[in-house]
Amino acid sequence: MNDLEIRRAAAVDVPDIVAMLADDPLGAERESPDDLAPYLAAFARVDGDPHQHLVVAVRGGRVIGTLHLTVIPGLSRRGATRALIEAVRVHADARGSGLGTHLIEWAVAESRRLGCALVQLTSDVTRTDAHRFYERLGFTASHVGFKMAL
Amino acid sequence: MNDLEIRRAAAVDVPDIVAMLADDPLGAERESPDDLAPYLAAFARVDGDPHQHLVVAVRGGRVIGTLHLTVIPGLSRRGATRALIEAVRVHADARGSGLGTHLIEWAVAESRRLGCALVQLTSDVTRTDAHRFYERLGFTASHVGFKMAL
């Protein structure tokens, strides 16, 4: 991990990010890496919102991971600001290298730096390896995550 | 529900919102309705962020419900913007009146209006009645929700 850098994503990173989103059992069904237009439009929305922190992990000039952190103020829990982690991906070539741990530890540290009192994320019920991973990192599987497509 | 209004929350609503957050088996342990200062500071953060939609349900001049909707852009799912629902509460006097359904239906409609392709929320594993409620409203319990206090 010596030369690993986690930095803010730029528009030029979008193809690499999308390739990682699509190279996944669930992502394969719902991404369209051959048509980048909707992703570039989405990147502009993310990049223009100061509460969105989309990052890439880079080693040797190659993008090998990504994570999206959102900072959400709220009244609950004595006015706690929370951080939401979404879209964590590690490139197939870099799996098993500890990069996932590195990305989540970065997100937790960044959340703390940004004044968050809570970090949360959801993981598809089928990703049982991911569940063990998050529990090892100190997360508690305290909630049921509900989704509705519109 | 004839005279029910769901409107943007104002600072003057904060005591009523906090009272509802605290009047709850889980909220009772983590809220401090006797000290409003952290909630008013949090309200200012929420109110100043155009992607936060904190609302109250009002009937006959009384605040009887609340819900917090956050709009989150992202690259996943072909650049889908998602909405996150947090802090849904119905006043004890108004429970069983269909207000919870009304609030969630409002949130789903508002999410659609704001261009979201997905609505998501998490519910504590102990809130089994809430889980059935969300499934009846069309949500799928597809995820495990992880949290870590900082």
Side-chain angles (χ1 to χ4, degrees), chain A residues 48-61:
Chain A
D49 179 347
H51 299 298
Q52 309 301 329
H53 303 267
L54 177 66
V55 297
V56 286
V58 181
R59 189 160 50 196

Side-chain angles (χ1 to χ4, degrees), chain A residues 9 29 39 55 60-61 69 71 83 93 100-101 103 112 136-137 149:
Chain A
E29 295 171 23
Y39 297 99
V55 297
L69 191 72
V71 175
D93 297 349
T101 298
L103 277 166
R112 197 174 271 125
R136 271 200 308 275
L137 289 174

Side-chain angles (χ1 to χ4, degrees), chain A residues 12-80:
Chain A
V12 71
D13 301 316
V14 169
D16 289 337
I17 295 171
V18 174
M20 289 187 289
L21 293 174
D23 182 22
D24 174 273
L26 297 173
E29 295 171 23
R30 59 195 187 203
E31 306 300 344
S32 62
D34 295 338
D35 176 15
L36 289 176
Y39 297 99
L40 289 165
F43 177 81
R45 290 191 288 272
V46 169
D47 201 47
D49 179 347
H51 299 298
Q52 309 301 329
H53 303 267
L54 177 66
V55 297
V56 286
V58 181
R59 189 160 50 196
R62 278 189 65 219
V63 171
I64 56 170
T66 183
L67 180 149
H68 181 176
L69 191 72
T70 300
V71 175
I72 305 173
L75 266 58
S76 299
R77 300 172 188 241
R78 304 192 75 235

Side-chain angles (χ1 to χ4, degrees), chain B:
Chain B
M1 290 289 153
N2 287 345
D3 60 347
L4 182 78
E5 181 195 10
I6 295 177
R7 63 157 171 80
R8 183 182 175 93
V12 71
D13 300 315
V14 169
D16 288 337
I17 296 171
V18 174
M20 289 187 290
L21 293 174
D23 182 23
D24 174 273
L26 297 172
E29 295 170 24
R30 60 195 186 203
E31 306 299 345
S32 62
D34 294 338
D35 175 15
L36 289 176
Y39 297 100
L40 289 165
F43 177 81
R45 289 191 289 272
V46 169
D47 201 48
D49 179 346
H51 299 299
Q52 310 301 328
H53 303 268
L54 176 66
V55 296
V56 287
V58 180
R59 190 161 48 196
R62 280 189 65 219
V63 171
I64 56 170
T66 184
L67 181 149
H68 181 175
L69 191 71
T70 301
V71 175
I72 305 172
L75 266 60
S76 298
R77 301 174 187 240
R78 305 192 74 236
T81 294
R82 64 186 72 203
L84 174 68
I85 295 174
E86 293 275 359
V88 183
R89 291 294 186 282
V90 170
H91 193 284
D93 298 349
R95 286 177 198 154
S97 70
L99 177 57
T101 298
H102 217 76
L103 277 166
I104 298 298
E105 288 177 345
W106 175 89
V108 169
E110 185 71 2
S111 299
R112 196 174 272 125
R113 195 184 70 77
L114 292 165
C116 299
L118 187 71
V119 186
Q120 65 188 45
L121 61 92
T122 67
S123 179
D124 194 282
V125 291
T126 63
R127 299 194 199 268
T128 49
D129 286 355
H131 303 170
R132 284 189 290 271
F133 167 76
Y134 289 120
E135 288 187 319
R136 271 200 309 274
L137 289 174
F139 286 85
T140 304
S142 54
H143 284 63
V144 179
F146 291 87
K147 298 200 192 255
M148 186 199 292
L150 298 182

Side-chain angles (χ1 to χ4, degrees), chain A residues 65-144:
Chain A
T66 183
L67 180 149
H68 181 176
L69 191 72
T70 300
V71 175
I72 305 173
L75 266 58
S76 299
R77 300 172 188 241
R78 304 192 75 235
T81 295
R82 64 185 72 204
L84 174 69
I85 296 174
E86 293 275 357
V88 183
R89 293 291 186 283
V90 170
H91 193 283
D93 297 349
R95 286 177 199 155
S97 70
L99 176 57
T101 298
H102 217 75
L103 277 166
I104 298 297
E105 287 176 345
W106 175 90
V108 170
E110 185 71 2
S111 299
R112 197 174 271 125
R113 196 184 69 75
L114 292 165
C116 298
L118 187 72
V119 187
Q120 65 188 46
L121 61 91
T122 67
S123 179
D124 193 282
V125 292
T126 63
R127 298 196 200 266
T128 50
D129 286 355
H131 303 171
R132 283 189 289 273
F133 167 76
Y134 289 119
E135 288 187 317
R136 271 200 308 275
L137 289 174
F139 286 86
T140 304
S142 54
H143 284 63
V144 179

